[in-house]
Amino acid sequence: MLSIQLHPARFRQLGSQFYSEVVAEPLPATQLLAWNSELAASMGLPLDVNQIPNAADSFAGNQAIAAEPPIATVYSGHQFGVWAGQLGDGRAMLLGELAGQEIQLKGAGQTPYSRRADGRAVLRSSIREYLCSEAMHGLGIPTTRALALVASPETVWRETQETAAVVTRVAPSFLRFGHFEHFYYLGNHTALKALADFAIAHYFPHHRDAANPYQAMLSEVVARTAELIADWQAVGFCHGVMNTDNMSLLGLTIDYGPFGFLDGFDAGHICNHSDHSGRYAYGMQPEVGLFNLNCLAQALLPLLDRDEAIAALKQYQGEFETALAERFRAKLGLVDEAPDDWQLFTRLFDLLQAGHTDWTIFWRALCHFDMTSLNEPVRNLMVDRDAFDAWAWDYKVRLALEGRDQAERQTAMLAVNPKYILRNHLAEQAIRQANAGDFREITRLQTLLARPFDEQPDFEAYAGLPPDWATELSVSCSS
Ligand code: AMP
Ligand code: MG
């Protein structure tokens, strides 16, 4: 047996105006539904969770695994474009650190920042967060990770009666843009500087000796955010609630709520049922990224010149477009940059949009694009086949100009166009089975999605179109 002892969270060094010590509210009859043994091993924890005494109670918050009490941090944020004031970890608590990673429980009870909410997370949304963190990691997209998933029969009320669960999340830091906004809007520039210094010391130490370390950090956050959103767009991930309090300073995907992956391509796709105006639609994400960075830059103004802030922000558009073009060239198996790249991409998006062609299935089929055939398997996915033929002709010309070996190109494309993503209906199946007491689908999906680029013949059905019943599914902010 191996008892876990976490190190104190470095965040504590900041002092009590940045957080509150909290007490986890015990949950009855806890049951460990999932354990991420690969992540566990990378942190020096056992592969086999049975080697940890009382694992379910430890990862529900019932039993302490750190010497210090947990803390909940304070932040503010812009929600749906509007200043929302103080928010904070309303249902997340930081237990401590292991191997340089922060360990946080989500759903372990109320904190001073719960704002009349219950501090809980329901099983449904916890399964989604657990699976999607790991699916994103499998796709090579920066994200917070999920170490464990614990359920309890405790009742939680949302629109209907549900049950509670706790996800153990892991990240080098859970700092959000909103942490900086909080102290800026309070007018507490001393605290703002202390926070920025802390972030630089621990997460951006290479900028410590820059002419202006705060500007250097902002520039890097701009670049990381541009890269992250390019990753999302390429794989068809919609975050759903890109509020500034849900934006990671480290450029990680964070706070999985009403997220969704595109099925049929629609640039206007809104995955969050509560997002009535479509502010966070798929095609809006790049622009919202910039809005959020503007909020961060504004909050850092006491530490830098306005001109320096503007210079950092101005890099976003170019960095995003460069990153996106790189992703799409790779998805198309192209190596060289060419002046007509964007024309080639946008003509393709128009084709996919016109037919609402399935994003993932299309790209995977395109991996087998052949220079000498009509490419029926891809062509048949299209509504306007003449337009596809015209596009495919130009694509062939590009490929011919590059002269890359066809087999080599196909292999490279298969390594960047996933076969398996966490479609809504796949998560829903795991949720329905879990609600019926069968948790095996969670582990099955976790295993499948850890290798999304590999052919996994036993899982062919998981790569198909969503079933008809999936059109009825809707996800909202309720979680
Ligand atoms: P979100 O929309 O999930 O990013 O949450 C926005 C804010 O509401 C954050 O401060 C959360 O901690 C808080 N929050 C959301 N759900 C709950 C809950 N059930 N209990 C307490 N706080 C919550
Ligand atoms: Mg949040």
Side-chain angles (χ1 to χ4, degrees):
M1 284 289 184
L2 207 154
S3 69
I4 307 177
Q5 185 70 46
L6 302 185
H7 303 293
R10 282 169 288 173
F11 196 89
R12 283 179 157 276
Q13 296 161 13
L14 279 164
S16 59
Q17 59 186 326
F18 293 85
Y19 59 83
S20 303
E21 289 191 347
V22 294
V23 182
E25 292 173 60
L27 282 168
T30 54
Q31 186 179 1
L32 191 100
L33 304 191
W35 175 248
N36 189 345
S37 41
E38 179 245 335
L39 177 61
S42 76
M43 303 175 70
L45 292 172
L47 277 171
D48 178 4
V49 73
N50 294 315
Q51 290 181 10
I52 302 175
N54 311 317
D57 280 337
S58 299
F59 294 105
N62 292 1
Q63 186 172 315
I65 50 173
E68 294 78 16
I71 60 172
T73 71
V74 64
Y75 54 78
S76 294
H78 282 81
Q79 298 189 316
F80 289 88
V82 179
W83 176 243
Q86 182 183 308
L87 304 162
D89 293 324
R91 53 174 169 174
M93 45 189 79
L94 181 57
L95 299 185
E97 294 190 20
L98 207 53
Q101 305 276 318
E102 291 187 344
I103 315 273
Q104 200 188 56
L105 300 184
K106 180 172 177 179
Q110 285 177 316
T111 77
Y113 316 112
S114 300
R115 298 176 299 145
R116 289 192 298 278
D118 59 9
R120 293 298 182 198
V122 296
L123 177 61
R124 149 182 69 85
S125 64
S126 304
I127 291 174
R128 282 168 52 85
E129 170 139 18
Y130 182 87
L131 286 176
C132 199
S133 318
E134 292 311 300
M136 294 295 264
H137 177 71
L139 290 163
I141 301 178
T143 178
T144 63
R145 304 288 306 272
L147 177 66
L149 172 61
V150 175
S152 159
E154 174 100 334
T155 296
V156 176
W157 284 98
R158 294 295 179 260
E159 284 79 6
T160 57
Q161 184 174 338
E162 301 193 46
T163 58
V166 178
V167 176
T168 304
R169 304 199 290 195
V170 174
S173 165
F174 288 93
L175 274 174
R176 300 145 191 272
F177 292 7
H179 280 104
F180 295 87
E181 290 180 277
H182 181 72
F183 293 100
Y184 172 73
Y185 283 90
L186 280 181
N188 187 343
H189 298 172
T190 312
L192 177 72
K193 182 172 182 302
L195 186 62
D197 288 341
F198 173 83
I200 291 166
H202 295 290
Y203 307 111
F204 300 91
H206 44 288
H207 293 319
R208 219 164 11 199
D209 301 320
N212 181 335
Y214 310 112
Q215 201 246 355
M217 177 175 78
L218 176 63
S219 280
E220 187 168 341
V221 179
V222 168
R224 287 192 192 194
T225 305
E227 293 282 341
L228 177 69
I229 297 178
D231 279 337
W232 290 356
Q233 300 307 102
V235 80
F237 176 78
C238 307
H239 182 282
V241 209
M242 286 176 69
N243 295 335
T244 57
D245 51 297
N246 291 337
M247 294 294 289
S248 149
L249 188 74
L250 302 191
L252 310 172
T253 313
I254 191 171
D255 277 14
Y256 292 90
F259 66 84
F261 285 86
L262 292 176
D263 292 311
F265 179 64
D266 175 12
H269 177 67
I270 304 165
C271 62
N272 177 0
H273 195 70
S274 321
D275 180 9
H276 305 295
S277 69
R279 178 180 172 84
Y280 298 137
Y282 167 80
M284 294 293 292
Q285 295 187 130
E287 205 177 301
V288 173
L290 181 57
F291 174 92
N292 291 340
L293 286 162
N294 268 288
C295 293
L296 175 65
Q298 168 92 34
L300 294 176
L301 279 182
L303 306 176
L304 25 102
D305 279 3
R306 186 166 286 272
D307 289 346
E308 289 177 316
I310 291 171
L313 291 169
K314 276 202 168 143
Q315 290 169 340
Y316 177 79
Q317 194 60 29
E319 284 173 344
F320 172 71
E321 280 171 20
T322 303
L324 195 67
E326 270 169 19
R327 303 295 186 280
F328 281 114
R329 269 195 296 278
K331 286 174 85 67
L332 288 163
L334 298 169
V335 178
D336 303 327
E337 222 177 301
D340 64 354
D341 276 349
W342 278 103
Q343 217 190 17
L344 194 71
F345 305 157
T346 49
R347 278 171 62 206
L348 177 59
F349 301 152
D350 290 346
L351 277 168
L352 297 172
Q353 175 81 42
H356 281 204
T357 310
D358 188 89
W359 184 253
T360 307
I361 291 177
F362 165 77
W363 287 105
R364 192 71 180 181
L366 193 73
C367 298
H368 302 286
F369 191 85
D370 183 276
M371 293 295 277
T372 58
S373 84
L374 259 184
N375 291 293
E376 298 281 356
V378 197
R379 189 172 187 269
N380 291 343
L381 297 172
M382 299 297 181
V383 172
D384 186 344
R385 303 209 171 144
D386 291 340
F388 174 74
D389 290 339
W391 179 86
W393 175 263
D394 291 343
Y395 178 42
K396 276 184 191 172
V397 170
R398 271 298 302 275
L399 292 174
L401 276 174
E402 292 201 346
R404 189 181 194 187
D405 173 70
Q406 174 150 298
E408 179 198 309
R409 168 177 55 79
Q410 292 177 347
T411 306
M413 288 171 75
L414 289 166
V416 292
N417 290 300
K419 176 154 179 159
Y420 303 102
I421 52 160
L422 184 63
R423 293 183 193 260
N424 247 345
H425 75 278
L426 297 179
E428 181 65 20
Q429 272 163 345
I431 291 164
R432 289 183 186 178
Q433 291 177 27
N435 283 330
D438 180 351
F439 309 111
R440 287 172 300 177
E441 188 66 8
I442 301 170
T443 310
R444 210 174 288 133
L445 280 176
Q446 187 189 336
T447 309
L448 171 74
L449 296 169
R451 297 188 292 118
F453 303 104
D454 291 359
E455 293 293 331
Q456 301 184 54
D458 293 347
F459 289 92
E460 209 51 41
Y462 289 74
L465 285 171
D468 287 342
W469 60 261
T471 54
E472 308 294 320
L473 294 176
S474 88
V475 288
S476 71
C477 281
S478 149
S479 60

